[in-house]
Amino acid sequence: MSDATLHATDPNPDDFVVQIADQIESFLVAVTEVAKGDEPASAVPFLLLEVSQLLLAGGRLGAHEDIVPEERYEPDTGPDLDADALRENFVRLLDPVDVYSEVFDPYEPRKAPVPARLSDDLADIVTDLRHGMAHYRAGRTTEALWWWQFSYFSNWGPTASAVLRALQSVLIHVRLNQPLEELDGLDTDQSDLGDDTLEIEAGRVMAQEIGDPLGMHPGK
């Protein structure tokens, strides 16, 4: 695996690094477009598709042998691009279903679910992926793969998996005509959430905001 890959006149599409970079770039472009809110009715299905495809790249990184960077210390990529605008766009776009519940470690006994936000998680994933992309575009392909693999295990992989489950849940409730109840004030700054609240933490799917745009009509 060579950093010369990026500078080849015609990068080999079969190269592992090129394939991973293409998948990540596709996700970054698509998610940025969804966040603009031009097609709010399609936001949840599109995000489900894009996060699913991203996790394929993550699975490939996770199954790959440990990638060792060529330098002892990570080269400076400069300041990371601010993802606050994207986060705020998703807050508005996903407001009815932004808050959901997540268990961080399913193998840790009796670990209580905690509230999270899709908008925060999507922005965090994008920040991680952009950081690796900065290495890739600078020609440091091994460093890019190392960062994407390391951050897959440490942050964006588990986060993307949680986001995927939440998005699946939204569509399941809508498609199977099982509307979620209203949040009634629950938010991510609350830590004393009992078992009785877990069913409604995912957010409130209002028919006029989620069901109708997707062509689903409760009671029909």
Side-chain angles (χ1 to χ4, degrees):
M1 188 180 303
S2 170
D3 284 351
T5 300
L6 181 63
H7 301 293
T9 303
D10 185 16
N12 186 348
D14 293 330
D15 285 343
F16 181 73
V17 63
V18 174
Q19 293 176 356
I20 295 297
D22 284 349
Q23 287 179 282
I24 288 175
E25 177 70 11
S26 175
F27 174 82
L28 292 173
V29 170
V31 169
T32 301
E33 286 299 311
V34 173
K36 292 178 181 178
D38 294 337
E39 298 184 36
S42 303
V44 171
F46 279 165
L47 288 173
L48 177 69
L49 176 61
E50 295 302 328
V51 174
S52 297
Q53 292 178 333
L54 175 65
L55 283 170
L56 173 59
R60 297 181 68 193
L61 287 165
H64 198 283
E65 63 184 8
D66 287 348
I67 298 166
V68 180
E70 297 178 351
E71 300 182 31
R72 182 176 180 182
Y73 299 103
E74 182 185 4
D76 185 14
T77 61
D80 289 331
L81 293 176
D82 191 352
D84 283 347
L86 182 138
R87 178 184 286 104
E88 291 169 3
N89 284 346
F90 276 127
V91 168
R92 292 188 292 269
L93 185 61
L94 301 173
D95 175 61
V97 293
D98 196 19
V99 178
Y100 70 100
S101 63
E102 167 62 359
V103 177
F104 286 116
D105 190 345
Y107 284 101
E108 188 171 340
R110 295 176 294 281
K111 187 68 174 180
V114 296
R117 285 187 178 275
L118 289 171
S119 53
D120 289 340
D121 289 347
L122 288 166
D124 288 347
I125 293 168
V126 166
T127 298
D128 272 350
L129 298 179
R130 282 176 175 172
H131 186 86
M133 189 60 70
H135 285 306
Y136 181 78
R137 288 173 175 161
R140 298 185 291 269
T141 56
T142 303
E143 194 76 33
L145 281 178
W146 168 80
W147 172 260
W148 284 327
Q149 185 187 61
F150 167 75
S151 56
Y152 168 75
F153 287 123
S154 63
N155 188 43
W156 73 260
T159 301
S161 296
V163 167
L164 179 66
R165 289 194 298 275
L167 294 170
Q168 285 175 327
S169 181
V170 172
L171 288 181
I172 287 169
H173 280 280
V174 171
R175 299 286 171 85
L176 298 184
N177 191 21
Q178 300 172 347
L180 295 171
E181 299 179 34
E182 191 169 349
L183 270 175
D184 194 24
L186 289 179
D187 206 342
T188 53
D189 60 358
Q190 292 182 260
S191 59
D192 54 342
L193 300 178
D195 292 340
D196 291 342
T197 68
L198 300 183
E199 192 174 324
I200 59 175
E201 281 177 18
R204 46 188 170 84
V205 182
M206 307 303 289
Q208 66 272 24
E209 296 182 70
I210 296 297
D212 286 349
L214 291 177
M216 307 303 297
H217 305 284
K220 295 184 179 181

